[in-house]
Each structure stands twice: as C-alpha cells, then as structure tokens.
Amino acid sequence: MDKFRINSHKMNYHLDRVNRWSKGENVYPIYMEISPSNACNHRCTFCAFEYREYKWRFLETKRLKEILSEMGQLGVKSVMYAGEGEPFLHKDMPEIINHTKESGIDVAVATNGALFTPEVIDRCLGSFSWARISIGGGTRETHNKIHQCPEGDFDKILDHMAYAVKVRNKNKYPCALGFQFLLLPENKDEVFSFAHRAKEIGVDYLIVKPFIRHLMSAHEIDKSFRYSDMLSKMEALEKMSDDKFNIIFRINVMRKVESPERNYKRCLGLPFFTEIAANGGVYTCGPHLGDDKFCYGNIYENSFKEIWEGEKRKEVLKMIEGMDVEKCMKSCRIDEVNKYLWDLKNPPPHMNFI
C-alpha cells in the first residue's frame, strides 16, 4: 500500500505544465529540494554528501525568503528541505518553513530528527505537508552506530516524533508524519521491531529503502548483501499496513540498485525539478551538487527567474543532452519521471488502441 505514491511519480497531475513542456515552452519546476545547511550533527556511515565536507555554511535567511516569494509567484509547487546537511541546524528554519507556505508553496522536510524539538514543532508543524525522520536502526545501539550520533539521540528522535503526532492530531493539521528506514546489512534484522514501534507512535508511514551509492560518495556496503534476498521478508512486513499506517517498501528501487532498467536515453525531467545548495548555487540535481558544470547560477547573484531563463542553464541542459544516462546513479530522484516523459516523446506502436 502506497497511498502517497512514493514509489511512483505524480506528473499526471500536472498535465498543463507537461503539455507546455512538450510544445517546447520554458516551464518552471514543480518540485525543488533546498539545503538550508551544509553542516550536520550526525556523521552517517551511508551519507551521500560527505564529499561536501560538512562545512559550517547556511543559506542567508533574508535572501532565501526573497527567492521563495519569487518562486511562489513563478509557479513552483513544492519545496523539500533536506540535502547536504541537517536542515534544523539553520537557526531560522521555522521562520523559513512558515514563509515557504505563506508564499503558496507546499513544504516538507527530511531530517535526522534530533533537532526536530517540541519548540520547533510548535512553531511550524502546521505549515508542513509532510515531515520525515531518517532512522538507522531499530535499536539505540544500531542507530547510534550507523548515524554516528550522540548517545541520547535515538530516544530523543522517537520522543520528538511522538510529540509531533500529538500536536498534529490535537490541531488537526494536514501534515503526514513518517519514518524512513535505510535497509543495511547492519540493521536488516531490526526493521520488523522498528515497524511495530513506529506504528505504536502513531505515524502515517514507514518507508523502507535501499542504500543507493552517490556518484561522489566513497561509502559502500557489503557487496554480498543483496536486496533481492529480502523480498519475501518484506512481503510479511507490508502486511502490517492498515488504514492508518502504511509500510512503503521501495521494492522497485531495490530492483534498480541490483539491475537498473532504463527505457530512456536522455534525462528529460530536469525542467520540472532542481536543487539549491547551501552556497546558493542552483544545480540540476543532487548527484551533481558542488560541480560547476551542472550549476545554472547562484541566488546571491541573480533572481530565480534570471537563472531559470538564463543562457547558463540552456548551456547546461544542452550538455546533458549528450550525456550517457547509464553513468548516472542507479536510481535517481527523477528516474520514474524520466520514464514517463520518454514514453510521451517516444510513444509505442498502435498507441491509439487504448
């Protein structure tokens, strides 16, 4: 059961923008990811962005709010705060979250949860469409080992989420709350026990996902560990789902990790998606954060409109047309979007026989 369609894409709900894109028109992103911070209070053994070196760098609040207001007017639909570091290390995060929503943009966050405190929750939970906490294990010991975090963080995280559920329910906020469990050789035997714990806390879902190696990351997992060996166990896990609690087992992504299948020969989804790094750079996607070749511009130098319609972005997209997608990450953020758009551009024979 995946009522949030996390395993798929939602482009069919944005046909007006897809139609304009298909005609060759410039379109603004539907979805963006923003890194408010490059710093992090954990040192996860699987972190995709350790190559960014966790520098103590934060987006300037005033400038970010100006850009958010502009993006709302341009038609950007949603922003997720996550990326290079821990979002809540930014001292103005609740203010930024609330401003995002006030700008007409749906807002979400992916966090390690340690700084998702009751004070923060009280200030901004009502603005969220969803908030998700990453978990490294079903026990304090395993989580702390994988996240390389202070001893008390695991218990804090669970307490913080339980408080968020209480506040959400009391105020009838529309915010969906969930955990994301990265399945690794070290924690594979703890996912069932944590699923029961998550359900008891009262969250809406638990995502179980595989490790996907970032192009720039040095992290690896035991090559003898195969996600395909876990599928039968995960089928049993999914039976815990009910009307109030979803287990979202990312089986398609796990299959892609072991044998990626791409029906597309070019990355077509970039007009609908982009990322802003903590240095203000606007990049094509997460795998290329920090690489100037994939940077459209910088919000400290230009407006978002100037960047999106600028010559540099046209040059970057032209360069990407000649890239081999087989050299991209085995499962990227817009993989399903690319499949959908490729089929639109390259319809099958007999398409009229519906």
Side-chain angles (χ1 to χ4, degrees):
M1 189 185 300
D2 180 12
K3 69 178 182 181
F4 300 106
R5 301 206 180 184
I6 291 171
N7 271 321
S8 184
H9 67 86
K10 307 178 185 79
M11 294 295 287
N12 49 315
Y13 298 103
H14 301 279
L15 294 179
D16 58 335
R17 207 165 303 203
V18 172
N19 186 47
R20 296 203 308 272
W21 166 82
S22 69
K23 294 177 181 177
E25 297 178 20
N26 180 61
V27 295
Y28 281 90
I30 296 169
Y31 167 64
M32 295 181 61
E33 294 184 8
I34 297 179
S35 300
S37 163
N38 187 69
C40 196
N41 52 333
H42 291 184
R43 289 293 182 272
C44 301
T45 58
F46 57 80
C47 181
F49 293 107
E50 90 280 7
Y51 75 95
R52 299 289 283 159
E53 299 178 339
Y54 309 110
K55 294 177 181 176
W56 206 253
R57 183 167 53 215
F58 303 90
L59 284 172
E60 198 274 317
T61 303
K62 181 175 182 293
R63 183 57 182 148
L64 178 54
K65 288 172 69 176
E66 290 171 348
I67 288 292
L68 288 166
S69 296
E70 181 194 6
M71 292 193 311
Q73 294 170 0
L74 292 170
V76 172
K77 297 290 187 182
S78 65
V79 164
M80 181 179 78
Y81 291 106
E84 303 164 272
E86 167 51 44
F88 288 111
L89 276 172
H90 195 298
K91 63 182 179 62
D92 296 326
M93 207 60 226
E95 176 186 346
I96 290 167
I97 289 163
N98 291 335
H99 182 82
T100 307
K101 186 63 177 176
E102 290 162 6
S103 299
I105 301 172
D106 292 343
V107 57
V109 68
T111 170
N112 62 41
L115 302 176
F116 192 44
T117 62
E119 179 187 2
V120 167
I121 290 165
D122 286 339
R123 290 179 62 191
C124 62
L125 190 68
S127 292
F128 282 119
S129 294
W130 55 265
R132 181 186 303 158
I133 290 178
S134 297
I135 285 290
T139 64
R140 183 183 304 111
E141 294 73 23
T142 303
H143 176 81
N144 291 351
K145 181 179 179 181
I146 291 173
H147 272 241
Q148 298 189 83
C149 61
E151 282 294 318
D153 274 11
F154 181 73
D155 298 301
K156 280 183 187 176
I157 289 163
L158 299 187
D159 288 344
H160 293 167
M161 185 59 97
Y163 183 80
V165 170
K166 180 181 176 181
V167 171
R168 189 269 308 272
N169 294 348
K170 177 183 177 182
N171 293 284
K172 298 183 179 178
Y173 292 145
C175 173
L177 296 167
F179 288 108
Q180 180 162 274
F181 192 103
L182 184 69
L183 194 62
L184 299 167
E186 300 95 314
N187 64 23
K188 63 182 175 63
D189 296 323
E190 297 179 2
V191 63
F192 283 92
S193 62
F194 186 78
H196 284 285
R197 199 158 188 180
K199 190 170 186 177
E200 289 171 359
I201 288 172
V203 297
D204 299 287
Y205 62 85
L206 170 67
I207 297 172
V208 182
K209 66 171 286 187
F211 170 80
I212 306 170
R213 186 179 175 276
H214 189 280
L215 295 174
M216 300 292 289
S217 176
H219 293 317
E220 294 278 6
I221 63 171
D222 185 350
K223 288 183 170 56
S224 66
F225 179 70
R226 295 188 61 79
Y227 286 106
S228 53
D229 296 335
M230 300 292 296
L231 298 185
S232 60
K233 292 182 180 180
M234 294 305 105
E235 288 174 3
L237 181 66
E238 286 182 315
K239 292 179 181 178
M240 289 181 61
S241 292
D242 56 32
D243 291 342
K244 294 183 178 179
F245 179 68
N246 266 212
I247 295 285
I248 302 168
F249 180 53
R250 302 209 64 183
I251 185 170
N252 292 339
V253 179
M254 293 181 184
R255 286 170 175 157
K256 291 174 191 177
V257 167
E258 295 184 354
S259 56
E261 295 180 4
R262 289 191 166 105
N263 69 320
Y264 55 93
K265 297 180 181 178
R266 289 197 296 116
C267 182
L268 299 176
L270 295 178
F272 303 95
F273 169 85
T274 195
E275 298 205 18
I276 298 180
N279 64 1
V282 182
Y283 293 88
T284 56
C285 54
H288 299 296
L289 284 185
D291 189 334
D292 289 343
K293 295 196 303 294
F294 297 87
C295 183
Y296 300 141
N298 195 291
I299 63 171
Y300 293 121
E301 298 170 6
N302 296 99
S303 70
F304 190 78
K305 187 176 190 292
E306 289 169 339
I307 293 169
W308 202 252
E309 297 184 5
E311 289 302 315
K312 178 66 185 301
R313 178 170 169 268
K314 292 176 184 176
E315 292 170 6
V316 172
L317 293 179
K318 187 68 177 175
M319 174 193 71
I320 288 172
E321 285 183 9
M323 288 182 59
D324 182 1
V325 294
E326 296 302 326
K327 295 180 180 179
C328 292
M329 289 177 66
K330 290 183 177 179
S331 179
C332 76
R333 181 78 70 186
I334 53 175
D335 183 63
E336 293 297 322
V337 172
N338 275 327
K339 289 179 179 178
Y340 170 76
L341 295 175
W342 185 264
D343 278 345
L344 286 180
K345 287 286 189 179
N346 301 274
H350 310 156
M351 61 177 286
N352 293 329
F353 291 85
I354 60 173

